[in-house]
Amino acid sequence: MGKLSFYGQGIPNVKEVDYTGKLIVIEGADCSGRSTQVTLLRQWLEKEGHAVSDAGLRRSNLVGDAIQEAKKGNILGKKTLSLLYATDFADQLENKILPALKAGFIVLSDRYIFTLMARDAVRRASSKWLKKLFGFAPVPDMVFYLQVDPQVLLYRSFETYGTLDYWESGMDICLSGDMFESFQIYQSLLAKQLDIMAKEYDFILLDGHENPEAVQDRIREKILSIK
Amino acid sequence: MKSEDFFAAGYNGRLIVVEGCDGSGKSTQLYLLKCWLEYQNYPVFFTEWNSSKLVRSYTKKAKKENMLTPTTFSLMHSSDFADRYEKMILPHLRAGYIVLADRYTYTAFARDVARECDYEWVRNVYSFAMRPHLTFYFKVPIDVALERITAARNMIKYHEAGMDLELSNDPVESFRLFQGRVKKEYDRMSSKEDFVVMDGTESIEEQQQIMRRIVTNKVLLNFNSNIYEEFLSKVKEISG
């Protein structure tokens, strides 16, 4: 990465040093095939002799559990949820991602601030507020975005879990009393937000309907081009 | 401070805030004010910094284990604030309560900037919060605050002294330096944010008299609590 560049004001007390690692992000909806791609990519990178570290959402030691606990109760304000996720991301960033990048690791991030911004935007947070809030996030070397039709996500969700998830259906924002309908509306709104960001932030688009190996080949091809 | 939500629904309540360094005496004064308002049958709701049921235990653990950076310290406290704001402060204001807040967004503005977070960034984080109707700022010299804290608990807390900033290895010296920065931020906000500046070195009684007078003139004169009084008397009738 070299010197870090940030989307906004950056982080206080981050030393001006060389970050020799690479930050690679994979974005996409739940059931878009993200984790499969991350796993395949990791295997390949390690086989090639790279040290790999991973990151994602809701994995921080600091508030990962708090978010889990809060979501169970279903009584969480929109701003609270967004700030808790921001806290979670900041903690992983400073305690895990940056140290790994400094040590020369390739960090694979299973989702990044874009998913958080998309979710909040659907919940009516202003884009100005969100951009400023996440101004402490470094610009990754590459952002892949797995695009999948909401109708296909619906099938996959049923195949995988047998049921729809409360939060993945956006039930907290009362789009529809019917969970099935809510899922369809919510996922389309999310996809729309990510599509807008794709242009603004230069995402590399991947067709999530293709078979996983074909998708993986395309990711590797892109990564080889930056090495 | 702007807030889209602020204009959306009827806000009949009033928001009164106390701010100041640790040891400035603000909590004592707010407590006395609360007693006085309750005695007169005003609908009162009290809330304090860092007390959300959801977030607080995690903050406590994180502080103990020294896991926080300036950024996560700030975001953790904003999560705590947002949870109280969305669940309690805002609904009470809408319902017509006088909300008494022991510390509000200004605490974050002062402390987080003292921890070198970006000035505009912190303000943006809290921009969803409505502006108080009245803010009292309790000003005391750092040495007075220090004396009060050490007299009360014989030790200074790690984060209170800003030890995480490594300004000095000596807690007392670190407290002076860090709270000096916090105080500078408060002073800077004082006129811009219309703080009522209180001399925290005056006697407790003297300060409380001033506070009550200002609250009467600025808040109570055009505040109608008739329905609440009626409601209270009904409650008493039933339970009595």
Side-chain angles (χ1 to χ4, degrees), chain A residues 9 11-13 61-63 65-66 69-70 75-80 83-84 86-87 90-91 94-95 126 129 132-133 136, chain B residues 2 4 54 58 61-62 67-72 75-76 78-79 82-83 86-87 115-118 120-121 124-125 127-128:
Chain A
Q9 81 293 336
I11 309 168
N13 308 333
N61 293 326
L62 194 56
V63 288
D65 292 344
E69 186 186 319
I75 40 151
L76 196 57
K78 296 185 184 78
K79 281 282 183 285
T80 312
L83 290 169
L84 276 174
T87 313
D91 187 45
E94 289 185 275
N95 290 319
S126 80
W129 186 77
K132 186 89 196 164
L133 173 65
F136 62 85
Chain B
K2 279 171 291 179
E4 308 153 3
L54 175 64
Y58 293 94
K61 181 171 164 260
M67 287 165 75
L68 298 171
T69 65
T71 304
T72 50
L75 287 170
M76 239 10 241
S78 72
S79 307
D83 189 40
E86 294 184 299
K87 275 195 201 132
R115 284 200 161 77
E116 290 169 22
C117 287
D118 182 74
E120 292 297 335
W121 181 75
N124 177 69
V125 167
S127 60
F128 59 90

Side-chain angles (χ1 to χ4, degrees), chain B residues 202-219:
Chain B
E202 292 269 6
S203 77
I204 290 176
E205 293 79 4
E206 180 76 22
Q207 290 182 58
Q208 186 59 207
Q209 286 314 313
I210 296 172
M211 244 182 129
R212 289 180 183 181
R213 200 163 56 231
I214 292 172
V215 168
T216 303
N217 292 333
K218 291 205 168 165
V219 173

